[in-house]
Amino acid sequence: MNFSTELIFALATILLIPIYYYFTKLRRIEKFFENFPNPPTVPILGNARDFRSGPAFFKSIHEYTRKYGNMVHIKIGPIGHVLLASDYKFLEFLLSHNKLLTKSINLKFLEPWIGTGLVTANGGPKWKTHRRLITPAFHFKILEQFVDIFESAGNILIQKLSKESGEKSVDIYPYVTRCTLDVICETAMGTKVDVQNSETSLYFHSVKEMCRIFLARTTSILKRYDSIFRFTKDYEIQKKSVEVLHGYTKSVINSKRKELEETRKEGNYSDVDDLGRKKKKVFLDLILEATVDGQSLSDEEIREEVDTFMFGGHDTTATATSFILYCLGQNKDVQDKVLEEQEQIFGGEKCPKVTYTNLQEMKYLENVIKEGLRLYSPVPLFGRRIDQDVEYDGKIIPNGVGVIVFSHGIHMNPEYYPNPEKFDPSRFDNVEGKQPFAFIPFSAGPRNCIGQKYAMLEIKCLLSKIVRNFELSPAFPRHEMILAPETVLKSLNGVKIGIKSR
Ligand code: HEM
């Protein structure tokens, strides 16, 4: 063998080995998927032809589950396979497994903004340490002090909605999403961005652009490749948006860090302010101070986590609040019962000083929220990637299998929720003996939503305030929402209801 033959041989080996492994892996995955029904496909595209738009995708996966069962094989393109899962036993297995913690691959499109914070992290040691470090920040004692922030942002929302009160229907989503962004900025960083009062907030605009680009990359066959995305207009928009978002978060972290160091240096740290009121601690303060086993987070890691809250903590609560208001508009009997409960607690006062204890007393409203989260889960599906061979039900699930956890699918299963299309909060009257993995709007198990108690409290606070102040009715003319699972569940034609001041 001369030198050039040797070189060709070496290069061929270098190329062929990965190809061999790739196809062996793919073959195992394809073999695994033979166990599950697959809706009719077309050549090359597979089932992707059913996913032309967000609403078409949402309708199709719903239809597949109804027709083919709770474990469906979906083919995307010539070699893509994913398991659409809404089977109780399987979800229990997957979500409670303490090794299957890796998220789906598309979440990496969020990394330019939120890095590898809790939502995007792969479930390894970094995620574990951060989760342990951040969990105490969601203790009820901390949430209790956020009620004032929910209240004051909610009061601005009421002022804004008052201007819309009357005969005309209003799309409430834009109002609510501005309110929840104000809330998350103040509770996460302690700063008032006040997007409810500023028409052109660059921060608000950048958050919305990053969510849009995430969706565009997730659904595009071309933009998902970095090498192609780099040449698109969205890449430039992303660069500018990330600059704005990181610039803001970093400057807040810097000034908080300085503040903390100075108070520590001077040794005059006090829990009360100059007026003797207990100082509020926001997430950023708590993360800056937190240490577990001698470990604390670097400024860059803190930035990732604060930005993660900004991403995960405002659109979700905005969707939930808006869709539940829609349900209340459609269901006068339920709305009346919510109001009755409010009157029992506040004796008919429209703008009382609401406390944490008051919010805990709103038991009926809590069931209304749960039912809203069931019927319109803000995160109706989420992904997992199986990153090691695991045995389930006597079979091996091979490394590399992608799973869509279709929470909306199990929430609409008549076996668990008879007459599932009906908005009926009484389903949650008695939860004893109910199966926990049949209600998973916040996921479940080790990677469940860290912000669920915060979310329930904020939503309760906003809904109770709105119901005390306005009578809600169905939109006129009748409004049928067009649903699409974007970064969270969205209605493409708005969330319209009638509102009249009480
Ligand atoms: C109604 C409101 C909310 C809903 C429906 C919701 C839903 C979810 C779901 C389904 C997950 C799991 C996602 C997955 O496995 O890919 C999740 C994770 C997460 N959520 Fe929420 N969420 C809400 C509000 C919030 C809020 C207010 C915050 C923060 C303030 C937050 C922070 C997070 C974080 C950090 C994670 C990742 C946890 C981890 O993997 O360790 N969420 N959420």
Side-chain angles (χ1 to χ4, degrees), residues 95 101 103-104 107 117-121 127 131 134 138 184 187-188 283 305 308-310 312-321 373 377-384 407 440-444 446-452 454-456 458-459:
L95 297 177
L101 302 171
K103 299 281 187 85
S104 58
L107 287 186
L118 282 185
V119 166
T120 38
W127 168 79
R131 178 96 192 190
I134 294 170
F138 288 89
I184 195 72
T187 50
F283 289 139
E305 298 303 353
T308 293
F309 291 155
M310 301 308 301
H314 90 282
D315 249 2
T316 44
T317 47
T319 288
T321 308
L373 292 172
S377 291
V379 186
L381 48 105
F382 45 92
R384 280 282 191 282
S407 47
I440 48 169
F442 295 106
S443 184
R447 292 213 73 169
N448 71 352
C449 176
I450 201 169
Q452 57 184 292
Y454 169 109
M456 287 301 284
E458 178 184 3
I459 298 167

Side-chain angles (χ1 to χ4, degrees), residues 1-10:
M1 250 196 297
N2 61 26
F3 177 70
S4 55
T5 326
E6 265 179 35
L7 190 69
I8 292 170
F9 189 73

Side-chain angles (χ1 to χ4, degrees), residues 371 374 417-420 422 424-430 434:
E371 178 64 346
R374 177 193 71 81
Y417 301 100
N419 198 359
K422 188 172 187 283
D424 178 7
S426 72
R427 295 179 202 275
F428 290 93
D429 278 354
N430 184 4
K434 286 250 163 82

Side-chain angles (χ1 to χ4, degrees), residues 229-295:
F229 177 64
R230 194 158 294 147
F231 297 101
T232 64
K233 203 170 152 215
D234 274 351
Y235 177 71
E236 291 306 318
I237 299 176
Q238 172 171 295
K239 241 167 68 181
K240 285 197 185 110
S241 306
V242 165
E243 221 173 275
V244 171
L245 297 170
H246 287 182
Y248 188 80
T249 323
K250 280 180 187 166
S251 78
V252 180
I253 294 173
N254 282 344
S255 64
K256 284 264 180 203
R257 166 89 67 204
K258 264 193 205 130
E259 211 177 284
L260 183 71
E261 277 163 9
E262 263 157 38
T263 43
R264 274 188 184 158
K265 213 170 17 186
E266 290 160 14
N268 61 356
Y269 181 75
S270 159
D271 262 349
V272 291
D273 65 15
D274 297 343
L275 299 172
R277 290 173 306 200
K278 198 160 176 13
K279 275 187 197 160
K280 230 179 228 104
K281 287 223 169 145
V282 297
F283 289 139
L284 178 52
D285 297 312
L286 296 155
I287 303 175
L288 273 167
E289 289 170 17
T291 329
V292 169
D293 302 335
Q295 266 184 295

Side-chain angles (χ1 to χ4, degrees), residues 23 36 41 131 187 195 209 307 310 366 381 400 453 468:
F23 280 101
F36 305 100
T41 54
R131 178 96 192 190
T187 50
V195 295
E209 281 298 79
D307 284 340
M310 301 308 301
E366 180 142 340
L381 48 105
K453 289 209 173 86
R468 288 195 303 270

